[in-house]
Amino acid sequence: MASTIDSAPRRRSVLWSAEHRLTTVALLLVVTLVAFESMGVATAMPTLVADLDGASLYSWPFTTFLISSVVATVLSGRIGDRRGPAPALLAGPALFAVGLVVAGTASEMPVFLLGRALQGFGSGLLLVSVSLLIALTFTDHERPVIYAANAAAWVLPAVIGPPVAGVLTVSVGWRWVFLGLVPLVAVGVVMLVVVVRRLPAHAPATDGRQASVSKAIIAALGVAALTWAAQHQSFLALSYGTVGLIALGYALRTLLPAGTLTARPGLPTVIASRALIAGAYAGMEAYLPLTMSAVHGYSPALAGLPLTITALGWSAASAAQGRFLDWSREASLRTGFWLVAAGLVGFGLVSQPWFPGWVAFVACAVGGAGMGIAMPAISVLLFRYSPEGERGFNTSALQLADWVGSALLIGLGGVLLGVVGSVLDPSPAMALLTVALVALAMVGVRLTGRWPSKV
């Protein structure tokens, strides 16, 4: 009983002790900025692609963001192993801010996509360096607590992000969904400068694996070629799409730990799980506002509200796992896959006009809870299986798996919209997309039932 009583003060002291307080505040601010961007873009997307005459490229603002992040994550991992997290912690927000300005002032779709590419590159640099900062600052036993706090940082953006983005889109224009974040990024940079100055001197890794940036570029081009070819069916597209698929497979064999593509038990299963669960859920989130507006007639201000419920469920479940530091992270990950699969089934039902739209809120609560349990478990297991000299490589591989999985599945949604549906009538396409997403979640359930006997 005494251990239960003492656990709450210990959890609080992890975040707000003199040693961790500044890092905690800076990390939560960074996560909040990323969350506002994610929530706002998803909500404003149906309106902005129509304004820029880019309906045929609906999935590409998401795909471009993810493709550029592929290169950035590998670069950030290399920098992290050689020089620590500091350089990418500062460069990431700066590039992200430039991307916000470019996207917010774009007058045509190609310029907007350039802005999204810059945002993706900055985000890729930032997210990997943040993970390395957590590994450097918090112990294995403490990390579930900071991951729970990171999830909680999504609550405010989740509650006010979609409605604010919707109101801005309707009242003053979608551009302010991007431009309005620039001052917040400036504050974040100032906070990170202070954190970086307090970091200990970095000892460069000499025996760890190093990912090739050139291979990351090949992987990014492979994803782009594959996605573009799938949306522009022709013999020529089939040719370069095939080349893109081969190039992607070739690059991933060296960018990911050995055994990832076959989900070998241990670290490879951790990386593969991130690709599956993040990709499946991103495929749903990218098209949920479109479904709510096109199928059920929700306004821009309301179409993104289910994403708020996702973040609330995510945060609540993450907070729960942070209270039980002795939970099996392997079992938590499998539970997360089950809940995500259930949420995705709900999305598939809501995508049909004969099913009530309000069920999307229930589906997002369930699926968000699954993500809130699974994602911290993946992060804890990653560092548990990673030698210190390979943390940068494995962290970038984890984020790379996330980006590639998300890009491919969001791209699949775009393909289906072009082949069996449209932006105005997405129901047939979303039904097929749901089948694929649920199948991948169930693959995750299967894979996470196999672990080495010892860690």
Side-chain angles (χ1 to χ4, degrees):
M1 181 67 177
S3 63
T4 302
I5 295 174
D6 293 341
S7 63
R10 285 202 302 270
R11 286 194 301 270
R12 288 194 294 268
S13 67
V14 167
L15 299 181
W16 306 114
S17 65
E19 178 186 6
H20 292 151
R21 188 181 304 120
L22 180 63
T23 301
T24 297
V25 173
L27 287 177
L28 296 185
L29 178 58
V30 167
V31 172
T32 300
L33 293 174
V34 174
F36 267 112
E37 186 271 345
S38 178
M39 293 292 177
V41 169
T43 301
M45 195 62 68
T47 301
L48 72 87
V49 296
D51 186 45
L52 297 177
D53 194 25
S56 63
L57 299 172
Y58 186 89
S59 68
W60 276 87
F62 301 104
T63 303
T64 301
F65 182 99
L66 296 173
I67 287 171
S68 64
S69 296
V70 167
V71 179
T73 54
V74 172
L75 179 61
S76 187
R78 285 178 63 92
I79 293 172
D81 282 338
R82 291 181 175 181
R83 302 183 59 188
L89 272 174
L90 300 180
L95 285 172
F96 186 79
V98 173
L100 291 173
V101 173
V102 173
T105 56
S107 58
E108 53 188 18
M109 199 65 176
V111 178
F112 178 77
L113 293 179
L114 173 62
R116 290 292 288 163
L118 290 170
Q119 291 171 46
F121 200 91
S123 180
L125 290 176
L126 185 61
L127 292 180
V128 172
S129 58
V130 163
S131 294
L132 293 177
L133 181 62
I134 289 174
L136 184 65
T137 308
F138 297 90
T139 67
D140 179 85
H141 197 62
E142 294 170 339
R143 286 168 196 152
V145 182
I146 186 62
Y147 293 136
N150 282 350
W154 280 76
V155 172
L156 180 62
V159 171
I160 71 173
V164 167
V167 170
L168 286 174
T169 299
V170 172
S171 59
V172 296
W174 58 265
R175 299 179 186 280
W176 288 99
V177 173
F178 299 91
L179 298 177
L181 289 177
V182 175
L184 295 175
V185 176
V187 175
V189 170
V190 172
M191 291 290 297
L192 288 172
V193 167
V194 178
V195 171
V196 164
R197 293 181 63 182
R198 294 182 53 174
L199 290 176
H202 177 68
T206 57
D207 57 348
R209 293 186 63 182
Q210 293 289 317
S212 168
V213 176
S214 63
K215 296 291 179 56
I217 294 174
I218 292 173
L221 293 175
V223 172
L226 187 61
T227 304
W228 185 264
Q231 296 179 20
H232 299 79
Q233 293 84 16
S234 67
F235 180 77
L236 178 61
L238 176 63
S239 301
Y240 62 71
T242 301
V243 172
L245 180 61
I246 295 171
L248 178 61
Y250 164 74
L252 290 181
R253 288 187 62 187
T254 57
L255 294 173
L256 302 177
T260 298
L261 298 182
T262 57
R264 192 173 66 204
L267 178 64
T269 290
V270 176
I271 304 292
S273 294
R274 179 65 169 261
L276 290 170
I277 201 165
Y281 211 72
M284 182 275 288
E285 286 188 306
Y287 296 102
L288 183 57
L290 174 66
T291 296
M292 299 303 287
S293 60
V295 177
H296 297 287
Y298 280 52
S299 68
L302 295 177
L305 280 182
L307 300 181
T308 299
I309 303 303
T310 281
L312 292 174
W314 190 320
S315 177
S318 186
Q321 65 83 37
R323 292 178 62 87
F324 298 96
L325 302 183
D326 295 325
W327 272 9
S328 166
R329 301 301 153 179
E330 293 87 353
S332 297
L333 178 54
R334 197 173 198 212
T335 299
F337 268 112
W338 276 113
L339 292 173
V340 165
L344 293 172
V345 170
F347 166 67
L349 294 173
V350 168
S351 71
Q352 304 308 304
W354 44 264
F355 206 82
W358 62 263
V359 176
F361 294 89
V362 178
C364 285
V366 174
M371 295 297 288
I373 293 173
M375 295 296 270
I378 289 172
S379 297
V380 170
L381 291 170
L382 176 80
F383 291 122
R384 190 174 293 174
Y385 280 104
S386 295
E388 187 170 352
E390 296 184 5
R391 283 178 173 175
F393 174 83
N394 290 337
T395 301
S396 66
L398 186 74
Q399 196 63 60
L400 178 67
D402 186 317
W403 293 141
V404 171
S406 298
L408 291 177
L409 288 166
I410 291 172
L412 174 62
V415 171
L416 294 174
L417 279 178
V419 175
V420 297
S422 68
V423 172
L424 298 178
D425 181 23
S427 294
M430 294 302 100
L432 293 176
L433 178 64
T434 299
V435 172
L437 299 182
V438 172
L440 290 175
M442 296 310 299
V443 169
V445 170
R446 172 67 176 171
L447 294 179
T448 52
R450 308 173 298 130
W451 294 99
S453 57
K454 294 182 180 180
V455 176

